[in-house]
């Protein structure tokens, strides 16, 4: 029975690790999709402004070209009036095809406007390449939780802002939680835990030894009279 229980826990752990890896990959793809969406929205807004400007501009009527000058009675030449445009030509709107989305888009390409999509970062390239490389035996698999001191009352968005300022990749921190007062935990991959600890060490921040299952973590008043062994 003990071996079966251990095997079941190993199976659940492996399944959890695979799911967390998929979540990490999906977060990276989601960030890239959101960035592309913002760029497309900006391009759409530019096209709308250009279209509105073209519609608001007055039509440019070409001036009639002077006709050939015919000789007058005294031998001087006189200008021959140009024929008046027909009713259909006068009713035809000028530059009617210039106010279409296709024309505006073509004009943008003619002027050398290109997409503002940023090239992939080195981390994204490394992640994409790992999908076609053999598994490195030295690569640590699985996930771990690193615990650090944190002011009481800190919120998740405040912790995220501080991580961003310290240069921590937001997509690599899969979860942030507060197991007890004054402590914050970061769920990260074991391989990235080394980089996170090294970055924090540059700012003189070190992880703490914390056991979330310790009896001292329970702060429910109804357990005040119980012994530590009963709480555990």
């Amino acid at each position: 029975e003990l071996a079966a229980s251990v095997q079941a826990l190993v199976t659940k752990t492996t399944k959890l690790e695979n799911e967390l890896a998929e979540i990490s990959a999906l977060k990276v793809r989601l960030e890239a999709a959101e960035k592309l969406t913002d760029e497309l929205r900006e391009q759409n807004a530019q096209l709308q402004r250009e279209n509105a400007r073209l519609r608001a501009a007055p039509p440019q009527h070409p001036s009639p070209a002077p006709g050939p000058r015919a000789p007058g009675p005294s031998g001087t030449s006189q200008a021959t009036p140009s024929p008046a445009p027909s009713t259909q030509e006068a009713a035809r709107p000028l530059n009617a095809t210039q106010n279409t989305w296709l024309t505006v888009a073509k004009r943008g390409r003619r002027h050398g406007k290109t997409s503002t999509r940023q090239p992939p970062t080195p981390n994204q390239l490394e992640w994409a390449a790992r999908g076609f490389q053999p598994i490195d035996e030295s690569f640590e698999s699985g996930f771990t939780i690193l615990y650090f001191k944190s002011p009481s009352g800190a919120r998740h968005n405040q912790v995220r802002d501080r991580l961003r300022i310290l240069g921590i990749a937001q997509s690599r921190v899969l979860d942030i939680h507060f197991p007890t007062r004054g402590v914050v935990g970061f769920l990260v991959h074991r391989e990235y835990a080394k980089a996170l600890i090294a970055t924090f060490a540059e700012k003189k921040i070190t992880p703490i030894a914390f056991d979330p299952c310790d009896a001292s973590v329970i702060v429910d008043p109804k357990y005040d009279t119980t012994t530590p062994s009963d709480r555990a």
Side-chain angles (χ1 to χ4, degrees):
E1 294 182 359
L2 179 58
S5 300
V6 171
Q7 183 62 32
L9 289 175
V10 171
T11 303
K12 290 182 180 179
T13 303
T14 304
K15 183 178 179 181
L16 178 60
E17 292 177 354
N18 294 335
E19 291 177 351
L20 290 176
E22 292 179 359
I23 292 173
S24 180
L26 288 174
K27 283 186 176 181
V28 174
R29 296 175 58 184
L30 178 60
E31 290 178 355
E34 290 177 348
K35 190 173 184 179
L36 179 59
T37 301
D38 293 339
E39 293 173 357
L40 293 176
R41 286 177 178 171
E42 179 62 24
Q43 293 180 8
N44 188 23
Q46 292 178 358
L47 291 176
Q48 289 182 353
R49 290 193 294 268
E50 181 69 13
N51 189 32
R53 186 186 66 80
L54 291 175
R55 291 183 182 275
Q60 301 293 331
H61 296 282
S63 58
R69 302 179 68 85
S74 60
T76 60
S77 61
Q78 296 180 351
T80 303
S82 300
S86 62
T87 306
Q88 294 181 354
E89 292 177 352
R92 185 182 303 156
L94 297 175
N95 302 328
T97 61
Q98 294 183 359
N99 294 332
T100 63
W101 286 102
L102 181 59
T103 305
V104 175
K106 288 182 177 179
R107 182 180 294 107
R109 289 197 297 268
R110 245 190 343 262
H111 292 168
K113 293 181 179 179
T114 57
S115 175
T116 58
R117 184 175 181 179
Q118 299 295 329
T121 63
N123 290 336
Q124 291 175 339
L125 291 174
E126 182 181 355
W127 168 82
R130 281 203 303 267
F132 307 98
Q133 295 174 348
I135 299 177
D136 188 357
E137 297 297 334
S138 63
F139 185 81
E140 293 190 39
S141 61
F143 299 85
T144 185
I145 300 178
L146 300 177
Y147 294 100
F148 297 88
K149 287 292 185 179
S150 177
S152 300
R155 296 190 296 270
H156 284 79
N157 59 342
Q158 293 176 337
V159 175
R160 286 285 183 186
D161 291 340
R162 288 170 177 162
L163 291 177
R164 187 180 299 107
I165 293 173
L166 292 174
I168 302 300
Q170 298 294 301
S171 60
R172 305 301 297 272
V173 181
L174 304 180
D175 183 63
I176 298 175
H177 68 283
F178 303 93
T180 189
R181 192 172 302 165
V183 177
V184 60
F186 301 139
L187 174 63
V188 297
H189 195 276
R190 292 185 182 275
E191 193 67 23
Y192 184 72
K194 304 174 185 177
L196 190 146
I197 293 175
T199 302
F200 271 24
E202 296 176 357
K203 309 299 185 298
K204 298 181 180 180
I205 304 172
T206 56
I208 62 174
F210 177 78
D211 181 9
C213 298
D214 191 86
S216 61
V217 178
I218 301 177
V219 294
D220 194 329
K222 69 180 181 180
Y223 296 107
D224 288 345
T225 58
T226 58
T227 62
S229 59
D230 292 337
R231 292 186 183 185

